[in-house]
Amino acid sequence: MSDEAPVRFDTKIAVLLREDLETWQRLNVTAFLVSGLGTQLPEVIGDPYEDADGVGYLPMFRQPVLVFEGTKETLTTAHARVLSRALPRALFTSDLFTTGNDRDNRAAVRAVSTDGLDLVGIAVYGPRNAVDKVMKGARMHP
């Protein structure tokens, strides 16, 4: 056991899901949302893993991902907040449940104005306080 103090990050990764999603949708949306963060923000990715037998594994986020849920209105408010703060973000709309590939996903989002997006999930990364303000009104996912 280590006597070192626990690591406290000055940044936060958070996912906000709409509360009316089916379980499979929650898992799928979360996986898609967080996949975008590591591609654009290399600082969120830790070092590769290796087990005691020397078998290597891919690196993962260096910090926890907090998952929240809220109403459609909570998502709309959080989306406006994340945009006003210009934080790195990813989104998932209800239209993406009907597409089957990245090209069609991007076209579905591109076809709708910002105010008209039917959000079912967003992910955000940034300073702890800023992310906390974006997630205000959401509750931790059970």
Side-chain angles (χ1 to χ4, degrees):
M1 188 122 187
S2 173
D3 290 334
E4 293 182 34
V7 175
R8 181 152 170 89
F9 296 98
D10 57 352
T11 57
K12 187 177 274 190
I13 298 171
V15 172
L16 174 57
L17 303 171
R18 202 166 73 192
E19 64 185 2
D20 62 347
L21 297 179
E22 298 289 330
T23 300
W24 74 267
Q25 292 173 317
R26 290 171 187 253
L27 296 169
N28 184 267
V29 170
T30 300
F32 268 92
L33 287 171
V34 298
S35 72
L37 296 177
T39 63
Q40 297 297 308
L41 305 161
E43 69 271 18
V44 302
I45 303 297
D47 293 326
Y49 287 74
E50 184 177 292
D51 66 25
D53 294 322
V55 176
Y57 302 92
L58 294 172
M60 297 185 284
F61 290 130
R62 65 181 181 91
Q63 66 190 90
V65 176
L66 301 174
V67 181
F68 297 85
E69 71 174 5
T71 63
K72 183 175 183 172
E73 294 75 22
T74 303
L75 257 100
T76 300
T77 300
H79 184 243
R81 289 176 183 152
V82 78
L83 293 178
S84 72
R85 287 169 174 76
L87 295 171
R89 69 246 170 214
L91 83 157
F92 199 103
T93 67
S94 63
D95 295 331
L96 303 188
F97 289 126
T98 64
T99 60
N101 61 74
D102 186 53
R103 182 191 68 235
D104 292 342
N105 286 350
R106 286 183 283 109
V109 172
R110 190 179 315 109
V112 181
S113 68
T114 303
D115 291 340
L117 293 169
D118 185 18
L119 298 167
V120 298
I122 61 171
V124 60
Y125 170 75
R128 290 173 51 86
N129 290 343
V131 173
D132 288 344
K133 288 177 182 173
V134 167
M135 293 294 153
K136 185 178 179 184
R139 60 193 173 277
M140 287 297 291
H141 191 282

